[in-house]
Amino acid sequence: MKIIKLSLAVLLLNSCTAQNNGIKLKTNDNDNTLLWEISGKQLTAPSYLFGTFHLICKDDIPFGKQLNNAIKSTDEMYMEMDMDDPATMMGGLLLMNMRGDSTLKKLYKEEEYKKVESFFNDSLHMPIAMFQKMKPFFLMAMLYPKMLPCKTMSGVETELMKLAKENKKEIKGFETMAFQAAVFDSIPYTQQAKELLKTIDSLEAYKKYFDTMVRVYKSQQLNKIEDLFSKSEFGMQDNLDILLDKRNKNWVTQLNTILKKESVFIAVGAGHLVGDMGLINLLRKEGYTLRPIDNK
């Protein structure tokens, strides 16, 4: 990850503590943290950036002692979408469907479709007929609970929303559900179907890989999170520009306006933080100072 040279003023801000509305947050001793402070560029108050994981065992969610203080000190919370808006979630149910006359059955050869059908019937106990029009990448999310070793699971975003409500913070989103649905429309349905079948065929291997993802996320090692996105097993390396890079650029454009007006807590998938095109590096290129915050 490229690190820009820091001025003396920035170095002074990068001491062991920083203050925002009377709240002091300790700097992490290295970059292995999911929580980052955004300051500099004449901002009147710091904002915070946090990397999430969409589904995980509830006991494994890495909320450190300082995270709630960071939320308390900000004005609003920004997520990928406004997830506390019922209209957003209800509208999303329709936008999960494939366009045109595409159906799951049309995307597979007969023997492939039977394999997918059997898996949904036997392992998920749901008839595949219910999901004929759903985009295969959304169907893949239904497999995630099969990969977790616990019964009580939750999304990191879900738990952050609870903290936002406890602290009376409004939740806003960078994107609409329609935009996110369009992102998945831009990836050929045939390719999505192939990845779904590949996951079903190699579920045990994917469980081990998913376990690695969870362990790396819990350890908050950003360099290892970045490595995972280049692995062929993850099924994303050919679409990183669509799924991550372009969206990151768009969010930074929005943040250039948002950060001038208010202090915000930003919570997006951890994969959006890392790499040359990750939010940490892109925000630094815009002239902001990003400081790792202890999240233990």
Side-chain angles (χ1 to χ4, degrees), residues 15-18 24-29 35 66 291-295:
S15 61
C16 64
T17 60
K24 296 181 179 181
L25 299 181
K26 180 183 177 183
T27 299
N28 203 49
D29 56 8
L35 181 61
Q66 298 197 107
R291 183 172 66 91
I293 301 298
D294 182 87
N295 186 49

Side-chain angles (χ1 to χ4, degrees), residues 20-85:
N20 180 18
N21 297 330
I23 297 175
K24 296 181 179 181
L25 299 181
K26 180 183 177 183
T27 299
N28 203 49
D29 56 8
N30 55 41
D31 287 351
N32 291 334
T33 179
L34 296 165
L35 181 61
W36 291 73
E37 178 194 81
I38 306 169
S39 62
K41 208 173 179 180
Q42 299 182 328
L43 298 183
T44 56
S47 288
Y48 296 91
L49 173 64
F50 184 75
T52 67
F53 198 98
H54 295 311
L55 188 67
I56 195 171
C57 292
K58 191 171 182 179
D59 292 340
D60 289 337
I61 293 177
F63 286 177
K65 296 178 181 178
Q66 298 197 107
L67 183 135
N68 201 38
N69 287 334
I71 293 174
K72 284 181 179 178
S73 70
T74 54
D75 301 312
E76 295 181 325
M77 181 177 289
Y78 268 81
M79 293 183 159
E80 295 181 26
M81 295 185 297
D82 184 356
M83 294 179 62
D84 71 340
D85 183 354

Side-chain angles (χ1 to χ4, degrees), residues 55-294:
L55 188 67
I56 195 171
C57 292
K58 191 171 182 179
D59 292 340
D60 289 337
I61 293 177
F63 286 177
K65 296 178 181 178
Q66 298 197 107
L67 183 135
N68 201 38
N69 287 334
I71 293 174
K72 284 181 179 178
S73 70
T74 54
D75 301 312
E76 295 181 325
M77 181 177 289
Y78 268 81
M79 293 183 159
E80 295 181 26
M81 295 185 297
D82 184 356
M83 294 179 62
D84 71 340
D85 183 354
T88 297
M89 297 299 105
M90 290 299 294
L93 295 176
L94 294 175
L95 292 168
M96 288 181 182
N97 287 341
M98 293 182 278
R99 295 177 298 183
D101 62 353
S102 295
T103 64
L104 205 61
K105 196 167 188 176
K106 290 180 180 180
L107 296 176
Y108 290 114
K109 296 176 183 178
E110 184 177 353
E111 62 274 17
E112 293 174 334
Y113 181 77
K114 286 181 178 179
K115 187 178 293 185
V116 175
E117 183 178 38
S118 295
F119 179 83
F120 272 74
N121 285 334
D122 301 338
S123 297
L124 301 183
H125 308 294
M126 292 182 286
I128 195 64
M130 293 175 58
F131 309 108
Q132 277 299 310
K133 291 290 294 178
M134 189 174 287
K135 293 165 188 157
F137 269 6
F138 285 116
L139 286 175
M140 285 181 67
M142 298 173 67
L143 275 59
Y144 294 160
K146 303 289 292 184
M147 301 182 191
L148 290 169
C150 58
K151 292 183 178 180
T152 305
M153 55 194 73
S154 183
V156 175
E157 295 94 340
T158 301
E159 300 306 315
L160 285 171
M161 286 170 58
K162 293 177 183 177
L163 292 176
K165 290 178 180 178
E166 287 173 9
N167 289 287
K168 297 180 173 58
K169 308 296 181 182
E170 184 179 352
I171 298 172
K172 293 184 177 180
F174 291 115
E175 299 170 347
T176 63
M177 178 62 83
F179 178 88
Q180 287 210 354
V183 168
F184 287 101
D185 281 327
S186 66
I187 301 171
Y189 298 147
T190 52
Q191 183 181 343
Q192 296 185 36
K194 181 180 178 181
E195 290 298 332
L196 174 61
L197 182 61
K198 180 181 174 183
T199 305
I200 291 172
D201 278 340
S202 308
L203 192 61
E204 289 305 313
Y206 268 75
K207 284 181 181 179
K208 293 179 182 178
Y209 188 70
F210 195 82
D211 181 64
T212 300
M213 290 174 60
V214 171
R215 284 190 286 106
V216 167
Y217 178 73
K218 287 168 55 181
S219 71
Q220 307 188 60
Q221 297 178 75
L222 296 192
N223 61 328
K224 291 188 176 181
I225 292 175
E226 182 180 356
D227 289 342
L228 284 174
F229 278 82
S230 64
K231 299 282 188 180
S232 60
E233 300 96 319
F234 197 50
M236 283 184 59
Q237 70 285 349
D238 295 332
N239 300 297
L240 290 182
D241 185 51
I242 296 171
L243 295 173
L244 296 179
D245 299 349
K246 289 182 179 179
R247 296 169 68 203
N248 289 347
K249 290 178 184 178
N250 179 266
W251 296 349
V252 169
T253 298
Q254 293 182 56
L255 284 169
N256 276 329
T257 299
I258 294 167
L259 295 175
K260 292 176 184 177
K261 297 179 180 179
E262 57 188 347
S263 173
V264 295
F265 187 94
I266 305 154
V268 295
H272 289 281
L273 271 59
V274 300
D276 287 342
M277 296 302 297
L279 290 176
I280 293 172
N281 197 47
L282 290 178
L283 287 167
R284 280 175 168 157
K285 285 183 176 180
E286 290 293 316
Y288 299 99
T289 299
L290 275 91
R291 183 172 66 91
I293 301 298
D294 182 87

